Amino acid sequence: MISGVFGPPSLPVGQQGTWEVKAYDPENGTLSYSVVWGDEPMMASGSMMSPSNVAIQQTATFTHTYSTAGTYYPKFKVTDNTGQSNSVSLSVRVGQIPSPITVTSPNGS
């Protein structure tokens, strides 16, 4: 059911990240989305409806802000109206993001 999860591989502490979950139901039923971020015991969820005659890929967008540095593994779960589910986890490194490096010497001459 899940055809892709897209989000930042790293974030600074306190910066909001956005993750997008793309999923589909071959039977065109209702899909429910949930995510466990890994830094709290709470779960966010939502659902979307699809037309009953066309298999349509559905997308859900989630945002989250981590307040502590570390590596987290948010787990995204999609469940259809018959109770079948699929989940995907990915990693996000939270902490200080290195600044771009500026070369000042040698000057290339």
Side-chain angles (χ1 to χ4, degrees):
M1 281 194 294
I2 295 176
S3 57
V5 177
F6 308 94
S10 60
L11 283 172
V13 171
Q15 180 176 321
Q16 180 175 289
T18 301
W19 289 260
E20 182 178 84
V21 180
K22 292 186 177 187
Y24 66 94
D25 181 16
E27 293 84 31
N28 298 306
T30 302
L31 294 179
S32 298
Y33 296 78
S34 64
V35 60
V36 176
W37 296 109
D39 65 342
E40 57 193 30
M42 298 180 65
M43 183 181 291
S45 64
S47 64
M48 298 179 68
M49 297 288 293
S50 68
S52 60
N53 60 353
V54 180
I56 294 180
Q57 181 162 308
Q58 301 176 15
T59 303
T61 302
F62 296 90
T63 60
H64 187 68
T65 303
Y66 288 99
S67 59
T68 304
T71 300
Y72 297 92
Y73 301 91
K75 184 176 182 179
F76 300 88
K77 183 177 179 181
V78 177
T79 306
D80 70 10
N81 60 333
T82 66
Q84 295 182 19
S85 65
N86 191 336
S87 62
V88 172
S89 183
L90 48 84
S91 66
V92 58
R93 186 171 161 227
V94 178
Q96 184 175 4
I97 305 298
S99 302
I101 297 173
T102 304
V103 178
T104 58
S105 180
N107 63 9
S109 317

